[in-house]
Amino acid sequence: MSTETITHDVIIVGAGLAGTWAAMIASQEGVKDIGVLSKIHPLRSHSGAAQGGIAAAINNVRPVAGTGPRGPLEQIPAGDSAVDSIETHVFDTIKGSDWLGDQDAIEILVSDAINIVYEYEHMGCVFSRTPDGRIAQRRFGGHSVPRACYAADWTGHMLLQTIHEQALRHGVHFYSEWYVLDLIIEDNICRGVVAMDVLTGEIHTLHAKAVMFGTGGYGRAFKISTNAHANTGDGVAMAYNAGVPLMDMEFVQFHPTGLYRLGILMTEACRGEGGYLTNNKGERFMEHYAPDKMELAPRDLVSRSEQIEINEGRGIGPDGQGIYLDMTHLGREKIEERLPQVLEIAHNFMGVDIIKVPVPIQPTAHYSMGGIPTDAHGQVIADAEGNPVVGFYAAGECACVSVHGANRLGTNSLLEASVFGRRAGYSIAEFIKGGAELHPLPSDPGKQSSERIKHLMDDSVGDNRESVAEISKAMKAMMTNNCGIFRDADGLQAALSNVKQLQNRFQNARVMDKSKRFNTDIQGALETENLLAFSEVIIASALARTESRGAHSRIDYPERDDENWIKHTIAHKNGGELPVLSYKDVNINWEKYPPQERKY
Ligand SMILES: Cc1cc2nc3c(=O)[nH]c(=O)nc-3n(C[C@H](O)[C@H](O)[C@H](O)COP(=O)(O)OP(=O)(O)OC[C@H]3O[C@@H](n4cnc5c(N)ncnc54)[C@H](O)[C@@H]3O)c2cc1C
């Protein structure tokens, strides 16, 4: 296999919001030689699937006085006082994170929110509007006021189209359908990546002064997931294999409303617009779990409540594993205007008309709070002391800044990808313009990747051949059963030995398709290997954390333990052994936002 070397000043892996913002800004700041690689067409990045909204305290709407917490919203008349503030958004996010988010980073996220939303608007993003033409806002779980700016239920699509156009305008070069297999770091200096041009099957080395990952999330490690097929956490696995630690990987968010058995997302905006959750007795059971916020409590709490209803026999559907999401009282007009995509998805995938009947849903893996640790400038850090990996940046869902801590609030993630993608763009530009060097590559950098592919195509294993699809299926079922919404030591121990067995079985996994061009079989195998690599980190980190916090819920340790566990998990690879765990302090402003009981 040829291993041609391509050189750029900057290589960005990922063309979602995080990667594209970074590329656009770095280019605008004068760095002209930028290549962005994406394993799928850039506009098919998962950012484009986001439905519900992007949070910012822009104060355009408020609840109508006297109508209660779920009543209608109205635009705030010019001159009337604001309902929202940066401080309220910061506090909601900290509380949502169950006090594991870094409060300095959260303040940056929230302060930048307002100008990033207006920047999108000025670039031409078609937001939904209030009657007088301002950007409309809706309610979202865990946010104490309506703060989600949206474009019907196509928000991510609109944002991604907008920023992609701007990147093209700034001359950013996109490598569409290039699959990155390997990250080159030597002596703690990042030097480039190794990638396969999916169309030709050729392996290339991309040599750069700076590399940024905006590779997105890893919800595909679970059986039921809202995530696109591409969300296999390649970036986190590559970083981990190259010696970079992973942070807070035990915190995986389960969204309360994925379509029953399929997992496809019914956006939280369904509940934001007033949808109810009911069990098989027709009860709005959230009144037992979050009497104040009801269905608009944060996702970890709502998903757990649903799972308890299901486990205690009050679920719906033939196997009792579902719950009803009821929007029939919202009326045709509101649903068609605000939730057109949801209407279509429920119809196409379930044959359900949500205007007339409730739609069956269930909790579904959705978002990865953990990832590659970075500072607030997108600079990747190498250890708990905060030392940098020179020339390596990350932002968006693959990174962990950490603004979401143990649980993310809906609409804070499009925000995170935009805000920290943009910030990474500025710091990359500064790094390059400050005289960053092109450090030499190791000899034959593409060799390992070429050999991996050769190995997967080699048929000498005969009858010992293992099927990639079966290994992947077994792993996803195991992650869902043993490392899902509820966890305990026995289940996690079993999961650890199970993932090791699956990694061993993978040694004999082989692909059927031996061709070079568009070999999706090979890509699927490499992705499965990545899933197996970081799933072990999720399990090991979850086993070590003997408390319940945010999305990490241990039935054997049901309480939050602030005495011992207000700290970030840092996991380093340790050859073939279990990851080595160390811990890093959480940035807390003890006077302003000290930990409190988390009630909704
Ligand atoms: C269905 C759904 C709805 C959501 N709705 C909302 C919402 O309403 N509000 C909100 O705030 N958040 C929402 N989220 C979360 C949010 O969309 C994501 O967290 C965010 O968009 C991630 O952006 P990103 O730029 O980090 O990654 P992504 O947009 O996922 O992009 C990842 C990029 O990395 C590339 N890539 C990955 N691996 C490789 C590789 N090996 N080689 C080459 N390229 C690679 C991909 O091709 C892609 O371009 C939603 C998520 C889902 C799944």
Side-chain angles (χ1 to χ4, degrees):
M1 279 188 200
S2 94
T3 54
E4 187 202 339
T5 300
I6 300 168
T7 304
H8 285 290
D9 278 346
V10 181
I11 285 293
I12 294 178
V13 185
L17 290 182
T20 313
W21 262 104
M24 200 274 276
I25 291 293
S27 171
Q28 185 186 295
E29 291 299 295
V31 179
K32 289 301 171 199
D33 183 16
I34 302 175
V36 178
L37 282 75
S38 175
K39 66 178 177 178
I40 47 181
H41 185 279
L43 291 174
R44 293 191 60 220
S45 300
H46 195 66
S47 292
Q51 302 172 354
I54 176 166
I58 58 172
N59 273 303
N60 285 348
V61 302
R62 67 184 178 193
V64 173
T67 58
R70 301 183 63 85
L73 303 176
E74 62 180 8
Q75 64 187 36
I76 303 179
D80 262 25
S81 52
V83 293
D84 203 2
S85 66
I86 302 241
E87 289 220 326
T88 318
H89 189 180
V90 167
F91 179 74
D92 289 347
T93 304
I94 292 172
K95 183 175 171 187
S97 83
D98 219 348
W99 277 270
L100 200 79
D102 282 322
Q103 299 185 359
D104 50 349
I106 292 174
E107 284 188 332
I108 292 171
L109 174 85
V110 168
S111 314
D112 277 6
I114 297 174
N115 63 39
I116 210 126
V117 164
Y118 288 133
E119 217 168 306
Y120 274 121
E121 185 187 37
H122 296 166
M123 292 187 296
C125 182
V126 284
F127 286 109
S128 295
R129 300 279 160 177
T130 63
D132 73 355
R134 284 178 275 166
I135 295 173
Q137 294 182 281
R138 58 165 53 127
R139 292 189 173 91
F140 245 78
H143 293 279
S144 54
V145 294
R147 137 179 336 134
C149 308
Y150 61 95
D153 55 3
W154 294 97
T155 313
H157 177 84
M158 299 304 178
L159 300 180
L160 188 60
Q161 297 278 335
T162 305
I163 192 70
H164 183 72
E165 281 174 9
Q166 294 299 316
L168 291 177
R169 188 167 78 92
H170 280 89
V172 171
H173 180 76
F174 285 89
Y175 293 81
S176 179
E177 295 180 322
W178 279 54
Y179 182 79
V180 177
L181 294 93
D182 204 5
L183 171 67
I184 308 168
I185 296 180
E186 255 197 8
D187 303 329
N188 201 38
I189 298 170
C190 185
R191 296 149 197 260
V193 298
V194 178
M196 176 172 68
D197 177 355
V198 179
L199 182 65
T200 62
E202 297 297 333
I203 297 289
H204 301 275
T205 301
L206 290 109
H207 191 193
K209 297 174 184 169
V211 172
M212 181 211 159
F213 273 10
T215 50
Y218 45 82
R220 279 277 151 185
F222 294 82
K223 190 167 91 183
I224 303 282
S225 169
T226 65
N227 280 205
H229 285 276
N231 288 18
T232 50
D234 301 337
V236 291
M238 282 186 273
Y240 182 63
N241 289 333
V244 176
L246 300 179
M247 185 159 116
D248 290 345
M249 291 291 283
E250 61 271 42
F251 298 103
V252 177
Q253 176 166 81
F254 295 86
H255 194 292
T257 56
L259 280 183
Y260 176 53
R261 287 187 165 162
L262 300 173
I264 300 171
L265 184 70
M266 297 278 99
T267 169
E268 187 169 314
C270 298
R271 285 168 288 134
E273 295 292 354
Y276 301 153
L277 295 171
T278 57
N279 61 18
N280 66 8
K281 298 188 160 50
E283 285 169 349
R284 277 182 72 190
F285 55 86
M286 282 311 297
E287 64 194 16
H288 306 304
Y289 303 95
D292 189 21
K293 290 278 179 205
M294 297 287 288
E295 284 88 353
L296 286 179
R299 291 175 179 172
D300 55 337
L301 209 165
V302 181
S303 291
R304 272 197 297 278
S305 310
E306 287 179 355
Q307 198 60 50
I308 293 170
E309 292 294 304
I310 291 167
N311 294 350
E312 294 181 355
R314 293 184 292 279
I316 59 112
D319 56 1
Q321 295 296 306
I323 290 288
Y324 278 130
L325 170 62
D326 189 346
M327 290 171 276
T328 52
H329 53 289
L330 300 182
R332 176 180 297 278
E333 197 185 334
K334 190 169 187 180
I335 290 176
E336 284 180 348
E337 184 203 323
R338 309 269 176 88
L339 302 166
Q341 189 181 184
V342 164
L343 178 68
E344 201 179 309
I345 291 174
H347 177 264
N348 291 353
F349 289 92
M350 300 286 288
V352 168
D353 181 355
I354 58 169
I355 296 170
K356 298 195 181 120
V357 284
V359 59
I361 51 92
Q362 71 176 92
T364 172
H366 183 57
Y367 182 83
S368 346
M369 269 75 74
I372 304 166
T374 69
D375 68 13
H377 305 282
Q379 169 69 64
V380 173
I381 58 172
D383 50 37
E385 286 70 52
N387 292 307
V389 181
V390 178
F392 187 33
Y393 298 80
E397 193 168 337
C398 71
C400 186
V401 189
S402 121
V403 288
H404 309 304
N407 172 64
R408 166 175 81 92
L409 294 187
T411 68
N412 266 352
S413 167
L414 290 176
L415 180 61
E416 176 203 20
S418 309
V419 163
F420 290 99
R422 180 169 71 169
R423 290 175 69 87
Y426 282 116
S427 46
I428 291 168
E430 202 175 303
F431 177 68
I432 299 292
K433 291 195 295 183
E437 285 172 55
L438 193 65
H439 291 276
L441 290 168
S443 70
D444 207 355
K447 187 167 169 226
Q448 200 187 332
S449 299
S450 300
E451 282 180 353
R452 253 171 100 192
I453 292 176
K454 220 161 102 194
H455 171 83
L456 282 164
M457 288 189 176
D458 166 34
D459 265 340
S460 61
V461 278
D463 289 347
N464 290 330
R465 164 204 288 272
E466 290 276 359
S467 140
V468 174
E470 273 171 28
I471 293 174
S472 165
K473 198 168 144 200
M475 193 211 73
K476 291 171 186 194
M478 177 272 289
M479 288 300 283
T480 303
N481 296 337
N482 293 18
C483 199
I485 296 181
F486 290 111
R487 303 160 170 184
D488 65 15
D490 290 348
L492 291 167
Q493 281 290 5
L496 260 190
S497 51
N498 197 294
V499 80
K500 277 274 170 240
Q501 284 163 13
L502 292 170
Q503 287 169 352
N504 288 337
R505 276 177 61 188
F506 193 87
Q507 297 306 316
N508 283 341
R510 296 294 184 271
V511 297
M512 304 298 274
D513 183 354
K514 308 284 195 274
S515 60
K516 280 187 86 173
R517 297 175 74 83
F518 242 100
N519 189 335
T520 49
D521 222 8
I522 275 288
Q523 196 175 315
L526 295 168
E527 288 171 342
T528 299
E529 200 175 3
N530 288 337
L531 293 173
L532 288 166
F534 69 75
S535 290
E536 178 180 339
V537 185
I538 300 180
I539 303 165
S541 307
L543 180 61
R545 186 174 283 271
T546 48
E547 65 155 357
S548 290
R549 182 183 298 273
H552 171 67
S553 188
R554 289 279 301 252
I555 47 183
D556 45 354
Y557 294 93
E559 302 300 325
R560 191 176 88 187
D561 175 0
D562 287 353
E563 190 92 359
N564 296 303
W565 284 106
I566 299 196
K567 54 188 181 187
H568 298 295
T569 308
I570 299 276
H572 270 101
K573 186 169 170 152
N574 180 24
E577 303 296 308
L578 291 178
V580 178
L581 303 181
S582 56
Y583 293 91
K584 179 172 175 282
D585 285 345
V586 178
N587 180 296
I588 291 188
N589 183 334
W590 293 94
E591 266 103 66
K592 211 165 165 192
Y593 302 115
Q596 301 174 3
E597 191 190 350
R598 185 161 167 260
K599 275 209 305 231
Y600 288 95

